[in-house]
PDB file of all heavy atoms in Angstrom:
ATOM      1  N   PRO B  97      -2.226   4.424   4.580  1.00 84.00           N
ATOM      2  CA  PRO B  97      -1.271   4.899   3.590  1.00 84.00           C
ATOM      3  C   PRO B  97      -1.972   5.418   2.334  1.00 84.00           C
ATOM      4  O   PRO B  97      -1.477   6.308   1.662  1.00 84.00           O
ATOM      5  CB  PRO B  97      -0.435   3.669   3.249  1.00 84.00           C
ATOM      6  CG  PRO B  97      -0.715   2.671   4.292  1.00 84.00           C
ATOM      7  CD  PRO B  97      -2.016   3.008   4.920  1.00 84.00           C
ATOM      8  N   LEU B  98      -3.128   4.843   2.066  1.00 87.00           N
ATOM      9  CA  LEU B  98      -3.870   5.300   0.897  1.00 87.00           C
ATOM     10  C   LEU B  98      -4.273   6.760   1.060  1.00 87.00           C
ATOM     11  O   LEU B  98      -4.390   7.497   0.094  1.00 87.00           O
ATOM     12  CB  LEU B  98      -5.118   4.433   0.723  1.00 87.00           C
ATOM     13  CG  LEU B  98      -5.678   4.361  -0.690  1.00 87.00           C
ATOM     14  CD1 LEU B  98      -4.601   3.914  -1.648  1.00 87.00           C
ATOM     15  CD2 LEU B  98      -6.849   3.428  -0.752  1.00 87.00           C
ATOM     16  N   PHE B  99      -4.490   7.157   2.299  1.00 88.00           N
ATOM     17  CA  PHE B  99      -4.816   8.545   2.587  1.00 88.00           C
ATOM     18  C   PHE B  99      -3.660   9.429   2.134  1.00 88.00           C
ATOM     19  O   PHE B  99      -3.860  10.445   1.483  1.00 88.00           O
ATOM     20  CB  PHE B  99      -5.066   8.687   4.084  1.00 88.00           C
ATOM     21  CG  PHE B  99      -5.607  10.013   4.504  1.00 88.00           C
ATOM     22  CD1 PHE B  99      -6.926  10.338   4.266  1.00 88.00           C
ATOM     23  CD2 PHE B  99      -4.791  10.926   5.136  1.00 88.00           C
ATOM     24  CE1 PHE B  99      -7.433  11.567   4.655  1.00 88.00           C
ATOM     25  CE2 PHE B  99      -5.290  12.153   5.529  1.00 88.00           C
ATOM     26  CZ  PHE B  99      -6.614  12.479   5.292  1.00 88.00           C
ATOM     27  N   ALA B 100      -2.441   8.996   2.474  1.00 89.00           N
ATOM     28  CA  ALA B 100      -1.262   9.748   2.050  1.00 89.00           C
ATOM     29  C   ALA B 100      -1.150   9.769   0.531  1.00 89.00           C
ATOM     30  O   ALA B 100      -0.915  10.810  -0.076  1.00 89.00           O
ATOM     31  CB  ALA B 100      -0.007   9.146   2.664  1.00 89.00           C
ATOM     32  N   PHE B 101      -1.351   8.599  -0.086  1.00 90.00           N
ATOM     33  CA  PHE B 101      -1.230   8.547  -1.545  1.00 90.00           C
ATOM     34  C   PHE B 101      -2.315   9.394  -2.199  1.00 90.00           C
ATOM     35  O   PHE B 101      -2.059  10.096  -3.180  1.00 90.00           O
ATOM     36  CB  PHE B 101      -1.313   7.107  -2.034  1.00 90.00           C
ATOM     37  CG  PHE B 101      -0.099   6.310  -1.711  1.00 90.00           C
ATOM     38  CD1 PHE B 101      -0.189   5.086  -1.080  1.00 90.00           C
ATOM     39  CD2 PHE B 101       1.161   6.781  -2.035  1.00 90.00           C
ATOM     40  CE1 PHE B 101       0.935   4.356  -0.775  1.00 90.00           C
ATOM     41  CE2 PHE B 101       2.298   6.066  -1.735  1.00 90.00           C
ATOM     42  CZ  PHE B 101       2.179   4.838  -1.103  1.00 90.00           C
ATOM     43  N   ALA B 102      -3.525   9.311  -1.659  1.00 90.00           N
ATOM     44  CA  ALA B 102      -4.616  10.105  -2.228  1.00 90.00           C
ATOM     45  C   ALA B 102      -4.268  11.580  -2.136  1.00 90.00           C
ATOM     46  O   ALA B 102      -4.484  12.340  -3.083  1.00 90.00           O
ATOM     47  CB  ALA B 102      -5.917   9.818  -1.495  1.00 90.00           C
ATOM     48  N   PHE B 103      -3.671  11.962  -1.014  1.00 91.00           N
ATOM     49  CA  PHE B 103      -3.315  13.367  -0.882  1.00 91.00           C
ATOM     50  C   PHE B 103      -2.201  13.737  -1.858  1.00 91.00           C
ATOM     51  O   PHE B 103      -2.247  14.780  -2.501  1.00 91.00           O
ATOM     52  CB  PHE B 103      -2.889  13.704   0.549  1.00 91.00           C
ATOM     53  CG  PHE B 103      -2.518  15.145   0.700  1.00 91.00           C
ATOM     54  CD1 PHE B 103      -3.512  16.102   0.724  1.00 91.00           C
ATOM     55  CD2 PHE B 103      -1.194  15.537   0.732  1.00 91.00           C
ATOM     56  CE1 PHE B 103      -3.182  17.440   0.808  1.00 91.00           C
ATOM     57  CE2 PHE B 103      -0.859  16.870   0.820  1.00 91.00           C
ATOM     58  CZ  PHE B 103      -1.866  17.825   0.860  1.00 91.00           C
ATOM     59  N   ILE B 104      -1.193  12.871  -1.965  1.00 91.00           N
ATOM     60  CA  ILE B 104      -0.099  13.163  -2.896  1.00 91.00           C
ATOM     61  C   ILE B 104      -0.649  13.338  -4.307  1.00 91.00           C
ATOM     62  O   ILE B 104      -0.319  14.284  -5.017  1.00 91.00           O
ATOM     63  CB  ILE B 104       0.966  12.047  -2.867  1.00 91.00           C
ATOM     64  CG1 ILE B 104       1.671  12.015  -1.520  1.00 91.00           C
ATOM     65  CG2 ILE B 104       1.989  12.273  -3.972  1.00 91.00           C
ATOM     66  CD1 ILE B 104       2.706  10.929  -1.378  1.00 91.00           C
ATOM     67  N   HIS B 105      -1.527  12.417  -4.716  1.00 91.00           N
ATOM     68  CA  HIS B 105      -2.055  12.508  -6.075  1.00 91.00           C
ATOM     69  C   HIS B 105      -2.870  13.781  -6.263  1.00 91.00           C
ATOM     70  O   HIS B 105      -2.787  14.431  -7.300  1.00 91.00           O
ATOM     71  CB  HIS B 105      -2.895  11.273  -6.397  1.00 91.00           C
ATOM     72  CG  HIS B 105      -2.068  10.037  -6.568  1.00 91.00           C
ATOM     73  ND1 HIS B 105      -1.092   9.942  -7.527  1.00 91.00           N
ATOM     74  CD2 HIS B 105      -2.039   8.865  -5.908  1.00 91.00           C
ATOM     75  CE1 HIS B 105      -0.501   8.757  -7.439  1.00 91.00           C
ATOM     76  NE2 HIS B 105      -1.063   8.083  -6.453  1.00 91.00           N
ATOM     77  N   THR B 106      -3.626  14.137  -5.236  1.00 90.00           N
ATOM     78  CA  THR B 106      -4.392  15.379  -5.327  1.00 90.00           C
ATOM     79  C   THR B 106      -3.448  16.568  -5.450  1.00 90.00           C
ATOM     80  O   THR B 106      -3.658  17.463  -6.268  1.00 90.00           O
ATOM     81  CB  THR B 106      -5.260  15.564  -4.068  1.00 90.00           C
ATOM     82  OG1 THR B 106      -5.954  14.352  -3.821  1.00 90.00           O
ATOM     83  CG2 THR B 106      -6.242  16.684  -4.242  1.00 90.00           C
ATOM     84  N   PHE B 107      -2.392  16.536  -4.661  1.00 91.00           N
ATOM     85  CA  PHE B 107      -1.443  17.638  -4.684  1.00 91.00           C
ATOM     86  C   PHE B 107      -0.760  17.734  -6.049  1.00 91.00           C
ATOM     87  O   PHE B 107      -0.576  18.823  -6.592  1.00 91.00           O
ATOM     88  CB  PHE B 107      -0.412  17.459  -3.563  1.00 91.00           C
ATOM     89  CG  PHE B 107       0.445  18.662  -3.345  1.00 91.00           C
ATOM     90  CD1 PHE B 107      -0.119  19.845  -2.884  1.00 91.00           C
ATOM     91  CD2 PHE B 107       1.802  18.621  -3.609  1.00 91.00           C
ATOM     92  CE1 PHE B 107       0.662  20.969  -2.689  1.00 91.00           C
ATOM     93  CE2 PHE B 107       2.588  19.744  -3.414  1.00 91.00           C
ATOM     94  CZ  PHE B 107       2.018  20.915  -2.950  1.00 91.00           C
ATOM     95  N   VAL B 108      -0.416  16.584  -6.606  1.00 92.00           N
ATOM     96  CA  VAL B 108       0.209  16.579  -7.928  1.00 92.00           C
ATOM     97  C   VAL B 108      -0.752  17.178  -8.953  1.00 92.00           C
ATOM     98  O   VAL B 108      -0.357  17.988  -9.801  1.00 92.00           O
ATOM     99  CB  VAL B 108       0.611  15.141  -8.325  1.00 92.00           C
ATOM    100  CG1 VAL B 108       0.962  15.069  -9.797  1.00 92.00           C
ATOM    101  CG2 VAL B 108       1.786  14.677  -7.478  1.00 92.00           C
ATOM    102  N   GLU B 109      -2.020  16.812  -8.855  1.00 89.00           N
ATOM    103  CA  GLU B 109      -3.004  17.367  -9.788  1.00 89.00           C
ATOM    104  C   GLU B 109      -3.081  18.883  -9.653  1.00 89.00           C
ATOM    105  O   GLU B 109      -3.180  19.601 -10.654  1.00 89.00           O
ATOM    106  CB  GLU B 109      -4.385  16.765  -9.529  1.00 89.00           C
ATOM    107  CG  GLU B 109      -4.597  15.453 -10.253  1.00 89.00           C
ATOM    108  CD  GLU B 109      -5.829  14.713  -9.742  1.00 89.00           C
ATOM    109  OE1 GLU B 109      -6.778  15.390  -9.292  1.00 89.00           O
ATOM    110  OE2 GLU B 109      -5.825  13.481  -9.802  1.00 89.00           O
ATOM    111  N   ILE B 110      -3.026  19.338  -8.414  1.00 90.00           N
ATOM    112  CA  ILE B 110      -3.090  20.781  -8.200  1.00 90.00           C
ATOM    113  C   ILE B 110      -1.872  21.456  -8.836  1.00 90.00           C
ATOM    114  O   ILE B 110      -1.996  22.450  -9.549  1.00 90.00           O
ATOM    115  CB  ILE B 110      -3.148  21.100  -6.694  1.00 90.00           C
ATOM    116  CG1 ILE B 110      -4.475  20.617  -6.115  1.00 90.00           C
ATOM    117  CG2 ILE B 110      -2.968  22.578  -6.444  1.00 90.00           C
ATOM    118  CD1 ILE B 110      -4.544  20.669  -4.612  1.00 90.00           C
ATOM    119  N   LEU B 111      -0.702  20.859  -8.615  1.00 90.00           N
ATOM    120  CA  LEU B 111       0.512  21.453  -9.182  1.00 90.00           C
ATOM    121  C   LEU B 111       0.420  21.476 -10.703  1.00 90.00           C
ATOM    122  O   LEU B 111       0.798  22.463 -11.341  1.00 90.00           O
ATOM    123  CB  LEU B 111       1.750  20.657  -8.742  1.00 90.00           C
ATOM    124  CG  LEU B 111       2.123  20.753  -7.267  1.00 90.00           C
ATOM    125  CD1 LEU B 111       3.352  19.905  -6.984  1.00 90.00           C
ATOM    126  CD2 LEU B 111       2.396  22.195  -6.859  1.00 90.00           C
ATOM    127  N   GLN B 112      -0.068  20.383 -11.275  1.00 89.00           N
ATOM    128  CA  GLN B 112      -0.181  20.345 -12.729  1.00 89.00           C
ATOM    129  C   GLN B 112      -1.188  21.374 -13.210  1.00 89.00           C
ATOM    130  O   GLN B 112      -0.997  22.018 -14.238  1.00 89.00           O
ATOM    131  CB  GLN B 112      -0.577  18.941 -13.193  1.00 89.00           C
ATOM    132  CG  GLN B 112       0.617  17.996 -13.211  1.00 89.00           C
ATOM    133  CD  GLN B 112       0.217  16.545 -13.316  1.00 89.00           C
ATOM    134  OE1 GLN B 112      -0.941  16.191 -13.128  1.00 89.00           O
ATOM    135  NE2 GLN B 112       1.177  15.694 -13.615  1.00 89.00           N
ATOM    136  N   ASP B 113      -2.238  21.530 -12.440  1.00 86.00           N
ATOM    137  CA  ASP B 113      -3.250  22.510 -12.787  1.00 86.00           C
ATOM    138  C   ASP B 113      -2.638  23.914 -12.765  1.00 86.00           C
ATOM    139  O   ASP B 113      -2.919  24.749 -13.622  1.00 86.00           O
ATOM    140  CB  ASP B 113      -4.393  22.390 -11.768  1.00 86.00           C
ATOM    141  CG  ASP B 113      -5.541  23.317 -12.097  1.00 86.00           C
ATOM    142  OD1 ASP B 113      -5.895  23.368 -13.293  1.00 86.00           O
ATOM    143  OD2 ASP B 113      -6.069  23.971 -11.189  1.00 86.00           O
ATOM    144  N   TYR B 114      -1.772  24.169 -11.827  1.00 87.00           N
ATOM    145  CA  TYR B 114      -1.191  25.501 -11.679  1.00 87.00           C
ATOM    146  C   TYR B 114      -0.064  25.759 -12.680  1.00 87.00           C
ATOM    147  O   TYR B 114       0.047  26.846 -13.218  1.00 87.00           O
ATOM    148  CB  TYR B 114      -0.646  25.685 -10.254  1.00 87.00           C
ATOM    149  CG  TYR B 114      -1.637  26.337  -9.325  1.00 87.00           C
ATOM    150  CD1 TYR B 114      -2.730  25.636  -8.848  1.00 87.00           C
ATOM    151  CD2 TYR B 114      -1.493  27.663  -8.930  1.00 87.00           C
ATOM    152  CE1 TYR B 114      -3.646  26.222  -8.002  1.00 87.00           C
ATOM    153  CE2 TYR B 114      -2.409  28.267  -8.082  1.00 87.00           C
ATOM    154  CZ  TYR B 114      -3.484  27.539  -7.619  1.00 87.00           C
ATOM    155  OH  TYR B 114      -4.390  28.129  -6.789  1.00 87.00           O
ATOM    156  N   PHE B 115       0.784  24.767 -12.883  1.00 87.00           N
ATOM    157  CA  PHE B 115       2.000  25.029 -13.661  1.00 87.00           C
ATOM    158  C   PHE B 115       2.004  24.336 -15.012  1.00 87.00           C
ATOM    159  O   PHE B 115       2.976  24.445 -15.745  1.00 87.00           O
ATOM    160  CB  PHE B 115       3.243  24.592 -12.880  1.00 87.00           C
ATOM    161  CG  PHE B 115       3.296  25.128 -11.492  1.00 87.00           C
ATOM    162  CD1 PHE B 115       3.456  24.293 -10.404  1.00 87.00           C
ATOM    163  CD2 PHE B 115       3.177  26.496 -11.277  1.00 87.00           C
ATOM    164  CE1 PHE B 115       3.486  24.800  -9.126  1.00 87.00           C
ATOM    165  CE2 PHE B 115       3.211  27.007  -9.997  1.00 87.00           C
ATOM    166  CZ  PHE B 115       3.360  26.167  -8.913  1.00 87.00           C
ATOM    167  N   GLY B 116       0.970  23.600 -15.333  1.00 85.00           N
ATOM    168  CA  GLY B 116       0.964  22.901 -16.607  1.00 85.00           C
ATOM    169  C   GLY B 116       1.706  21.594 -16.508  1.00 85.00           C
ATOM    170  O   GLY B 116       1.130  20.532 -16.603  1.00 85.00           O
ATOM    171  N   THR B 117       3.011  21.649 -16.279  1.00 86.00           N
ATOM    172  CA  THR B 117       3.768  20.420 -16.104  1.00 86.00           C
ATOM    173  C   THR B 117       4.374  20.404 -14.704  1.00 86.00           C
ATOM    174  O   THR B 117       4.473  21.440 -14.060  1.00 86.00           O
ATOM    175  CB  THR B 117       4.926  20.319 -17.113  1.00 86.00           C
ATOM    176  OG1 THR B 117       5.721  21.492 -16.953  1.00 86.00           O
ATOM    177  CG2 THR B 117       4.402  20.209 -18.517  1.00 86.00           C
ATOM    178  N   LEU B 118       4.765  19.246 -14.290  1.00 87.00           N
ATOM    179  CA  LEU B 118       5.389  19.121 -12.978  1.00 87.00           C
ATOM    180  C   LEU B 118       6.835  18.683 -13.179  1.00 87.00           C
ATOM    181  O   LEU B 118       7.101  17.593 -13.658  1.00 87.00           O
ATOM    182  CB  LEU B 118       4.626  18.088 -12.149  1.00 87.00           C
ATOM    183  CG  LEU B 118       5.189  17.774 -10.766  1.00 87.00           C
ATOM    184  CD1 LEU B 118       5.284  19.024  -9.939  1.00 87.00           C
ATOM    185  CD2 LEU B 118       4.336  16.748 -10.081  1.00 87.00           C
ATOM    186  N   SER B 119       7.756  19.563 -12.876  1.00 88.00           N
ATOM    187  CA  SER B 119       9.165  19.188 -12.979  1.00 88.00           C
ATOM    188  C   SER B 119       9.945  19.977 -11.947  1.00 88.00           C
ATOM    189  O   SER B 119       9.443  20.967 -11.403  1.00 88.00           O
ATOM    190  CB  SER B 119       9.696  19.500 -14.382  1.00 88.00           C
ATOM    191  OG  SER B 119       9.770  20.896 -14.544  1.00 88.00           O
ATOM    192  N   ALA B 120      11.146  19.523 -11.691  1.00 88.00           N
ATOM    193  CA  ALA B 120      11.979  20.199 -10.693  1.00 88.00           C
ATOM    194  C   ALA B 120      12.158  21.667 -11.068  1.00 88.00           C
ATOM    195  O   ALA B 120      12.125  22.551 -10.212  1.00 88.00           O
ATOM    196  CB  ALA B 120      13.322  19.491 -10.585  1.00 88.00           C
ATOM    197  N   ALA B 121      12.307  21.926 -12.369  1.00 88.00           N
ATOM    198  CA  ALA B 121      12.553  23.297 -12.805  1.00 88.00           C
ATOM    199  C   ALA B 121      11.351  24.197 -12.530  1.00 88.00           C
ATOM    200  O   ALA B 121      11.505  25.294 -11.969  1.00 88.00           O
ATOM    201  CB  ALA B 121      12.901  23.310 -14.286  1.00 88.00           C
ATOM    202  N   THR B 122      10.152  23.739 -12.895  1.00 88.00           N
ATOM    203  CA  THR B 122       8.988  24.601 -12.670  1.00 88.00           C
ATOM    204  C   THR B 122       8.748  24.808 -11.189  1.00 88.00           C
ATOM    205  O   THR B 122       8.339  25.891 -10.767  1.00 88.00           O
ATOM    206  CB  THR B 122       7.694  24.011 -13.277  1.00 88.00           C
ATOM    207  OG1 THR B 122       7.568  22.658 -12.856  1.00 88.00           O
ATOM    208  CG2 THR B 122       7.678  24.086 -14.772  1.00 88.00           C
ATOM    209  N   LEU B 123       9.009  23.784 -10.388  1.00 87.00           N
ATOM    210  CA  LEU B 123       8.808  23.938  -8.949  1.00 87.00           C
ATOM    211  C   LEU B 123       9.759  24.984  -8.386  1.00 87.00           C
ATOM    212  O   LEU B 123       9.391  25.809  -7.560  1.00 87.00           O
ATOM    213  CB  LEU B 123       9.010  22.600  -8.235  1.00 87.00           C
ATOM    214  CG  LEU B 123       7.942  21.546  -8.497  1.00 87.00           C
ATOM    215  CD1 LEU B 123       8.256  20.267  -7.747  1.00 87.00           C
ATOM    216  CD2 LEU B 123       6.578  22.060  -8.095  1.00 87.00           C
ATOM    217  N   ARG B 124      11.012  24.935  -8.868  1.00 84.00           N
ATOM    218  CA  ARG B 124      11.979  25.916  -8.384  1.00 84.00           C
ATOM    219  C   ARG B 124      11.566  27.321  -8.782  1.00 84.00           C
ATOM    220  O   ARG B 124      11.649  28.253  -7.994  1.00 84.00           O
ATOM    221  CB  ARG B 124      13.353  25.609  -8.976  1.00 84.00           C
ATOM    222  CG  ARG B 124      14.066  24.535  -8.231  1.00 84.00           C
ATOM    223  CD  ARG B 124      15.563  24.862  -8.168  1.00 84.00           C
ATOM    224  NE  ARG B 124      16.220  23.756  -7.520  1.00 84.00           N
ATOM    225  CZ  ARG B 124      16.510  22.632  -8.158  1.00 84.00           C
ATOM    226  NH1 ARG B 124      16.218  22.493  -9.437  1.00 84.00           N
ATOM    227  NH2 ARG B 124      17.081  21.647  -7.518  1.00 84.00           N
ATOM    228  N   ASP B 125      11.102  27.462 -10.042  1.00 83.00           N
ATOM    229  CA  ASP B 125      10.740  28.796 -10.518  1.00 83.00           C
ATOM    230  C   ASP B 125       9.568  29.367  -9.744  1.00 83.00           C
ATOM    231  O   ASP B 125       9.452  30.580  -9.583  1.00 83.00           O
ATOM    232  CB  ASP B 125      10.368  28.732 -12.007  1.00 83.00           C
ATOM    233  CG  ASP B 125      11.591  28.447 -12.861  1.00 83.00           C
ATOM    234  OD1 ASP B 125      12.704  28.562 -12.313  1.00 83.00           O
ATOM    235  OD2 ASP B 125      11.437  28.097 -14.037  1.00 83.00           O
TER     236      ASP B 125
END
Side-chain angles (χ1 to χ4, degrees):
Chain B
L98 204 55
F99 189 75
F101 288 129
F103 180 74
I104 293 178
H105 289 300
T106 311
F107 191 65
V108 167
E109 274 167 30
I110 292 170
L111 291 179
Q112 281 165 346
D113 184 44
Y114 266 74
F115 309 126
T117 56
L118 177 57
S119 70
T122 50
L123 291 180
R124 278 217 184 80
D125 290 347

